[in-house]
Amino acid sequence: MPKLTSQIHQLEIPFEPDADHAWKPCHIFNGSTSDNWVLSCHVSALRQGKSPHPPHRHPEEEILLVLAGEIDLILPDRPFFQDEKRYRLKRGRFVYYPAGYAHTLEAMSEDPANYIMLKWSSYPTRKTPHMQFGIFTTIEDSSEVNIDTGNGFRTHLMFEERTAYLRKLHCHTSILAPHSGYSTHIDHYDVVIIILEGEVVTLGEKLRPNGVIYYAAGEPHGMKNPGETTARYLVFEFHGIHAGFGDRCRIWIRSLLTRLSDPKDLIKGLVRFVKRLRS
């Protein structure tokens, strides 16, 4: 498959299915990463009362985030002692499906439901336990989180666990104060970001709510908030299992060299480098 590189996509939400179809998927990206695993992303529109497919299982892991409207998750694998085999998801809620977990969904809102899906697979990890099925809600109101006045940037951890295909799947929400940002740096893992509120500038372009960002491991990137309101976004970090210590050291050294162009960040970069060597 083609190798993925850092990229951005501005989704125009809401959008409608075609006149003669109840479900309309739109592919955003699909390819392999530098760590030799496969990642894809698509957004869908689904009409009320319709499902994209019957309940099914597949070897890939998935994340589904509702962007507009409401859906019911249909979950045949939920334990028999639980009353409901459905769970309502509204805008801003998302779900993690482990590999092989039976599922489908049905649109419940009068307007078509819009949702984004991330799907990935690789060689299975040998260590256990693995992350289980879960439903999550992003922070509803960015004013509830106290922004660090030092740099205008603050994060809120949602989860960080091993999965069947990843050494670590990390998720957090971030808020970025107006006219704040962070300098160009390099990560040793792949990152997908979905803009929830406000606007940001990254990779030379501006993104609004429902913008999607993919940062490839080992490629430099930074972000700034050029607007007058707080920006809020959802971050997924994909830590693969194949990158060895030497590969990560090369990326960390490259990150330090990138920071040399901004002396103010050099000390911070050195501190991060030492911490990662110890991890």
Side-chain angles (χ1 to χ4, degrees):
M1 298 188 70
K3 192 76 71 175
L4 290 174
T5 59
S6 297
Q7 55 193 273
I8 62 174
H9 303 269
Q10 179 62 59
L11 306 183
E12 299 300 332
I13 303 296
F15 76 102
E16 300 276 345
D18 297 331
D20 53 346
H21 294 89
W23 176 49
K24 180 181 180 181
C26 180
H27 293 282
I28 300 175
F29 59 77
N30 184 23
S32 64
T33 72
S34 59
D35 201 16
N36 296 317
W37 54 282
V38 177
L39 175 66
S40 67
C41 178
H42 73 269
V43 63
S44 290
L46 184 65
R47 295 195 186 279
Q48 185 179 32
K50 301 298 182 179
S51 295
H53 47 68
H56 70 314
R57 306 174 191 270
H58 46 68
E60 297 89 354
E61 300 174 328
E62 283 185 330
I63 286 173
L64 179 154
L65 169 68
V66 179
L67 300 177
E70 298 183 8
I71 64 172
D72 269 5
L73 301 179
I74 301 174
L75 308 168
D77 280 352
R78 285 173 70 91
F80 71 90
F81 55 83
Q82 293 183 333
D83 294 334
E84 297 293 335
K85 298 292 184 180
R86 289 174 173 248
Y87 192 95
R88 182 67 54 89
L89 288 189
K90 301 180 180 181
R91 179 181 179 273
R93 294 186 174 182
F94 67 97
V95 60
Y96 164 75
Y97 294 123
Y101 193 89
H103 63 278
T104 189
L105 59 90
E106 180 182 343
M108 305 304 295
S109 50
E110 182 176 350
D111 294 329
N114 294 166
Y115 54 92
I116 190 169
M117 296 200 71
L118 301 170
K119 182 183 292 189
W120 65 93
S121 63
S122 180
Y123 295 106
T125 61
R126 296 181 179 180
K127 295 182 179 180
T128 55
H130 296 153
M131 184 174 174
Q132 301 299 306
F133 168 83
I135 298 172
F136 306 91
T137 302
T138 60
I139 299 173
E140 296 294 339
D141 185 359
S142 60
S143 64
E144 296 177 359
V145 180
N146 182 27
I147 298 179
D148 183 358
T149 56
N151 56 16
F153 176 71
R154 184 62 66 89
T155 64
H156 172 75
L157 178 66
M158 303 197 71
F159 58 78
E160 184 176 271
E161 297 188 47
R162 178 184 300 275
T163 77
Y165 299 129
L166 298 172
R167 179 167 48 84
K168 181 170 62 179
L169 175 62
H170 170 107
C171 174
H172 68 266
T173 55
S174 290
I175 55 175
L176 195 59
H179 309 295
S180 297
Y182 49 86
S183 302
T184 300
H185 65 285
I186 294 174
D187 295 318
H188 63 277
Y189 45 81
D190 297 86
V191 178
V192 174
I193 295 176
I194 302 168
I195 309 301
L196 303 174
E197 297 175 3
E199 58 185 19
V200 302
V201 172
T202 187
L203 302 179
E205 296 190 43
K206 183 184 293 186
L207 284 172
R208 308 182 310 277
N210 303 311
V212 179
I213 306 168
Y214 169 71
Y215 294 136
E219 295 186 3
H221 58 272
M223 183 181 291
K224 295 189 181 301
N225 177 359
E228 301 298 330
T229 61
T230 298
R232 185 165 64 92
Y233 47 94
L234 183 63
V235 181
F236 296 102
E237 297 177 2
F238 300 86
H239 298 247
I241 63 173
H242 302 294
F245 180 77
D247 295 326
R248 280 178 279 169
C249 279
R250 283 192 289 272
I251 292 177
W252 294 334
I253 291 172
R254 184 181 175 191
S255 177
L256 286 175
L257 293 176
T258 300
R259 287 179 176 273
L260 285 174
S261 61
D262 189 347
K264 294 181 180 180
D265 286 340
L266 180 57
I267 296 178
K268 293 181 181 179
L270 288 170
V271 171
R272 289 181 62 188
F273 178 69
V274 171
K275 288 182 177 179
R276 286 174 173 173
L277 285 178
R278 292 176 176 175
S279 64

